[in-house]
Amino acid sequence: MRTRVTEMFGIELPIFAFSHCRDVVAAVSRAGGMGVLGALYFTPEELEMELKWIDDHVDGKPYGVDVVMPASYEGADFAPEDLVGKLQGMIPEGHRAFVEDLLQRHGVAESSADAGRVLLGWTDATARPQVEVALRHPIALLANALGPPPADVVDLAHRHGVKVAALASTPRHALKQVEVGVDVVVAQGTEAGGHTGEISTMVLIPQVVDAVDVPVLAAGGIGNGRQMAAGMALGAEGVWTGSLWLTVEEADTPAMAKARILEATSRDTVRSRSWTGKPARLLKNEWTDAWEAADSPGTLPMPLQFMLVSDALRRIGRSDAAELATFPAGQIIGITNQVRPVKEVMFGLVEEYVEAIERLGGITES
Amino acid sequence: MRTRVTEMFGIELPIFAFSHCRDVVAAVSRAGGMGVLGALYFTPEELEMELKWIDDHVDGKPYGVDVVMPASYEGADFAPEDLVGKLQGMIPEGHRAFVEDLLQRHGVAESSADAGRVLLGWTDATARPQVEVALRHPIALLANALGPPPADVVDLAHRHGVKVAALASTPRHALKQVEVGVDVVVAQGTEAGGHTGEISTMVLIPQVVDAVDVPVLAAGGIGNGRQMAAGMALGAEGVWTGSLWLTVEEADTPAMAKARILEATSRDTVRSRSWTGKPARLLKNEWTDAWEAADSPGTLPMPLQFMLVSDALRRIGRSDAAELATFPAGQIIGITNQVRPVKEVMFGLVEEYVEAIERLGGITES
């Protein structure tokens, strides 16, 4: 296959795979696509180890790293050394009590030794050291979510010969990203897992393609070859996938979430602010319901919400309270019903894509 | 173009156009597609006149009628003669006061002479006489929204040589519809205007195509030729369009709504129960906001909500309170930015569709 995107990265297949799991990233790149490691949960030291591992297992194929530098969040103007303390002070006691009460009602055990580890996530201060680590590795792509990356980061990446992508959920976002020099726009529809906008992939992609000159990847709802063909029919020059990789053999997705995703239908997700403070599509469960209930104190703005809940989510993960296990997932989890190796999923995507294109040709010929 | 759907109806283009406007219906059918008249707002006598007009203006081309027989609603077990009175009694005074207060705050004039006309809509009792009228005309298709049509209605249509379609927003709905004998499933994604589910078109269509043996039309988010190509890539054998026709030259859409739709972006709609009691995608405005506000009494179940608000909506339509003008519209209103005749829109769809298919062919060839 050949588009501006396959040319830009020297890849066989314009299939991008976002994953927090290094095994998935390396396997997708080895299979001819482009694995992209989500750096969010890693300290700079951990990220260094993950990328070293990928370098050793990717057979010289290109791969990418995804960071999160939100364009706006609480405390963006605080000095880095004050950031955690000041933000902690902004979390109301009532919210802490609500979370603790919810956990106790579901029999989740008390906080443990690592409770002190506050995962800030989603701030410029946490993402910049990740960028520095990433650029010491032979990455081909630096991707950013939640707004256009800072212009100086784009320039830095370009000086390292690294292309920059950014996720957009409206045509206006896409235009802002191109203004700061982004090379590829990932236009992501509301059906996507994780942070997501309101416009569907079907409606969004043509508008973004018409708005910008750089190549566009279709994201949100891409889980099989027909969906890939649809994304390309809309004008995209490649696809960006995520939830598809949560249930592959190589994925280190927590067992509780993996089991739920395998059995879930496409109606079992919900857009909720209960994870990070910005709307994200999550598995719908008693956690997301609790934040919508009449006695909910409401969610806090980014990054306060995740600071509030990150320890709770760790404790839930270690408990039997599967009904509270929050996990970002897109609507395509309705079609991910079996565990397969990455290579087989990639092959299936291409095979079904080619079938779809041939079928389409037949409709107009006859 | 040739699919099982073009064969079934003897049409050139597998493009179905839902509209409440007879001029649009006739023009689409004359242009080689299939116009489908939404019967909901018409009394049986009015519907008879509309269909007579279409018969005289459609040049013998096939067209369809869409009725609404919801599978479930309040009062489904009441005797027809008691229905209106009993349902009226179920509307709480607090809800009536909320609506009246909202209108007064926006300077909408008092109720006028035709306030007595209660539009039940959305009940079996109102839809059956419409079906009887429709079957006296040379219609090719009877479509039903909000659940599988009653089996006896499907049989009746078939005895008249009329094919039956039904709208589905989940694979499970589609299976139920095929069980009662539906000939075509319209799989409709959440981005569609009017009553709509949660799953996006991109995610829904392949699941419905895999679940049923009958042909599937893709609905929701289809407003240009690339979107049509995407729908067909997903496995649909035709497309079902709606919002696309609200702004054509022939459409009798109220001027207030037409103006807003022309300038709207794809973010200016919202799924709301404030129109009929079931979730429907509407233009987002102060009306939909008011029902979500802290002082909202909450919406009533179908058909009570529309009984509660139908007179208010008529009064708003006659007022200058454009900010309250409720109107069902899908996310593609972000791309309907100019007024064109039906024929030109149809030609544009096909031209862009063919371009998209050719572009797709080029990607795999090279």
Side-chain angles (χ1 to χ4, degrees):
Chain A
M1 294 176 63
R2 188 169 172 165
T3 69
R4 283 188 292 173
V5 169
T6 60
E7 297 289 292
M8 186 182 287
F9 296 104
I11 51 180
E12 281 170 62
L13 303 169
I15 300 172
F16 290 65
F18 172 87
S19 174
H20 291 288
C21 172
R22 63 191 187 185
D23 300 77
V24 172
V25 170
V28 168
S29 287
R30 283 200 309 271
M34 170 84 88
V36 182
L37 186 75
L40 183 70
Y41 296 123
F42 300 121
T43 64
E45 297 71 29
E46 288 166 346
L47 183 61
E48 172 61 33
M49 283 171 52
E50 301 296 302
L51 298 185
K52 176 73 173 64
W53 188 93
I54 294 175
D55 292 340
D56 292 343
H57 291 82
V58 79
D59 295 355
K61 296 293 179 76
Y63 72 95
V65 170
D66 181 281
V67 295
V68 184
M69 291 184 275
S72 66
Y73 55 94
E74 291 294 317
D77 51 349
F78 296 166
E81 59 276 18
D82 299 340
L83 192 59
V84 173
K86 277 200 179 177
L87 289 172
Q88 289 278 26
M90 292 168 71
I91 299 176
E93 272 314 307
H95 280 73
R96 295 191 193 275
F98 173 79
V99 171
E100 202 51 48
D101 179 58
L102 178 62
L103 265 58
Q104 282 184 10
R105 273 187 285 130
H106 287 268
V108 176
E110 292 293 320
S111 201
S112 58
D114 57 356
R117 177 174 170 184
V118 171
L119 189 53
L120 258 183
W122 300 290
T123 67
D124 194 82
T126 40
R128 280 187 182 261
Q130 294 175 336
V131 170
E132 284 166 28
V133 169
L135 290 176
R136 287 201 295 266
H137 291 263
I139 64 170
L141 174 72
L142 183 70
N144 186 52
L146 295 178
D152 68 299
V153 171
V154 176
D155 291 343
L156 185 67
H158 285 166
R159 283 201 300 278
H160 281 77
V162 172
K163 299 289 183 188
V164 179
L167 270 73
S169 55
T170 69
R172 200 169 57 85
H173 288 170
L175 282 170
K176 279 192 183 175
Q177 292 166 352
V178 170
E179 272 170 31
V180 298
V182 156
D183 305 286
V184 177
V185 169
V186 183
Q188 181 181 267
T190 187
E191 52 268 71
H195 292 110
T196 186
E198 295 169 81
I199 308 174
S200 80
T201 300
M202 183 68 95
V203 174
L204 178 66
I205 307 295
Q207 294 185 56
V208 173
V209 167
D210 291 345
V212 302
D213 288 328
V214 303
V216 172
L217 304 180
I222 313 291
N224 65 32
R226 281 171 287 178
Q227 288 159 339
M228 179 176 168
M232 308 291 273
L234 293 169
E237 299 188 50
V239 292
W240 175 276
T241 54
S243 305
L244 180 56
W245 310 104
L246 295 172
T247 47
V248 292
E249 224 167 79
E250 291 88 340
D252 60 358
T253 310
M256 218 183 251
K258 209 168 189 171
R260 270 221 58 204
I261 292 167
L262 286 169
E263 69 177 18
T265 75
S266 291
R267 292 191 64 193
D268 294 328
T269 72
V270 64
R271 259 181 104 229
S272 165
R273 293 181 185 267
S274 65
W275 180 41
T276 71
K278 295 207 191 230
R281 189 171 296 282
L282 310 175
L283 280 173
K284 180 169 160 55
N285 60 14
E286 295 191 33
W287 172 271
T288 55
D289 289 349
W291 288 93
E292 296 296 323
D295 66 339
S296 162
T299 56
L300 298 172
M302 177 173 283
L304 301 179
Q305 180 70 14
F306 190 70
M307 292 178 70
L308 169 65
V309 305
S310 61
D311 183 52
L313 297 181
R314 267 199 301 268
R315 286 160 60 193
I316 292 164
R318 292 196 203 104
S319 76
D320 295 324
E323 70 278 11
L324 286 182
T326 308
F327 207 82
Q331 289 189 339
I332 64 130
I333 59 170
I335 62 169
T336 53
N337 303 323
Q338 49 175 325
V339 176
R340 293 179 296 166
V342 165
K343 203 172 169 178
E344 199 178 309
V345 173
M346 289 289 282
F347 184 80
L349 275 173
V350 174
E351 190 178 45
E352 190 180 333
Y353 175 85
V354 171
E355 276 170 18
I357 303 301
E358 285 174 2
R359 183 168 41 75
L360 282 173
I363 291 172
T364 31
E365 267 166 30
S366 48
Chain B
M1 294 176 63
R2 187 169 172 165
T3 69
R4 282 188 293 172
V5 168
T6 60
E7 297 290 292
M8 186 182 286
F9 296 104
I11 51 180
E12 281 170 61
L13 304 168
I15 300 171
F16 290 66
F18 172 88
S19 174
H20 291 288
C21 172
R22 63 191 187 185
D23 301 77
V24 172
V25 170
V28 168
S29 287
R30 283 200 310 271
M34 170 85 88
V36 182
L37 185 76
L40 184 69
Y41 296 124
F42 301 120
T43 63
E45 296 72 29
E46 288 166 346
L47 183 61
E48 172 62 33
M49 282 170 52
E50 301 297 303
L51 298 185
K52 176 75 174 62
W53 187 94
I54 294 175
D55 292 339
D56 291 343
H57 291 82
V58 79
D59 295 355
K61 296 293 179 76
Y63 72 95
V65 170
D66 181 281
V67 295
V68 185
M69 290 184 274
S72 66
Y73 56 94
E74 291 295 316
D77 51 349
F78 296 166
E81 60 276 18
D82 299 340
L83 192 60
V84 173
K86 278 200 178 177
L87 290 171
Q88 289 278 26
M90 292 168 71
I91 299 176
E93 271 315 307
H95 280 73
R96 296 191 192 273
F98 173 79
V99 171
E100 202 50 48
D101 179 58
L102 178 63
L103 265 58
Q104 283 184 9
R105 274 187 285 130
H106 287 268
V108 176
E110 292 294 320
S111 201
S112 57
D114 57 356
R117 177 173 170 184
V118 171
L119 188 53
L120 258 183
W122 300 291
T123 67
D124 195 82
T126 40
R128 281 187 182 259
Q130 294 175 335
V131 170
E132 283 165 29
V133 169
L135 290 177
R136 286 200 296 266
H137 290 263
I139 64 170
L141 174 72
L142 182 71
N144 186 51
L146 295 178
D152 67 299
V153 171
V154 176
D155 291 344
L156 185 66
H158 284 166
R159 282 201 300 278
H160 281 76
V162 172
K163 299 289 183 188
V164 179
L167 271 74
S169 55
T170 69
R172 200 168 57 84
H173 287 170
L175 282 170
K176 279 192 183 174
Q177 292 166 353
V178 170
E179 272 170 31
V180 298
V182 156
D183 305 286
V184 177
V185 170
V186 183
Q188 181 180 269
T190 187
E191 52 268 71
H195 292 110
T196 185
E198 294 169 81
I199 308 174
S200 80
T201 300
M202 183 69 96
V203 174
L204 178 66
I205 306 295
Q207 294 185 56
V208 173
V209 168
D210 291 345
V212 302
D213 288 328
V214 303
V216 172
L217 304 180
I222 313 292
N224 64 32
R226 282 171 286 178
Q227 288 159 338
M228 179 176 168
M232 308 291 273
L234 293 169
E237 299 188 50
V239 291
W240 175 276
T241 54
S243 305
L244 179 56
W245 310 104
L246 295 172
T247 48
V248 292
E249 224 168 80
E250 291 88 340
D252 60 358
T253 310
M256 218 184 251
K258 209 167 189 172
R260 270 221 57 205
I261 291 167
L262 286 169
E263 69 177 18
T265 76
S266 290
R267 291 190 66 194
D268 294 327
T269 72
V270 64
R271 258 181 104 228
S272 165
R273 293 182 186 266
S274 64
W275 180 41
T276 71
K278 295 207 190 228
R281 188 170 297 282
L282 309 175
L283 280 173
K284 180 170 160 54
N285 59 14
E286 295 190 34
W287 172 271
T288 55
D289 289 349
W291 288 93
E292 297 295 323
D295 66 340
S296 162
T299 56
L300 298 172
M302 177 173 283
L304 301 179
Q305 180 70 15
F306 190 70
M307 292 178 71
L308 169 66
V309 305
S310 62
D311 183 52
L313 297 181
R314 267 199 301 268
R315 286 160 60 193
I316 292 164
R318 292 196 203 104
S319 77
D320 295 324
E323 70 278 11
L324 286 183
T326 308
F327 206 81
Q331 289 189 340
I332 64 130
I333 59 169
I335 62 170
T336 52
N337 303 323
Q338 48 175 324
V339 176
R340 294 179 296 166
V342 165
K343 203 171 169 179
E344 199 178 308
V345 174
M346 289 289 283
F347 184 80
L349 276 172
V350 174
E351 190 178 46
E352 191 180 332
Y353 175 86
V354 171
E355 276 170 18
I357 303 301
E358 285 175 1
R359 183 168 41 75
L360 283 173
I363 291 172
T364 32
E365 266 166 30
S366 49

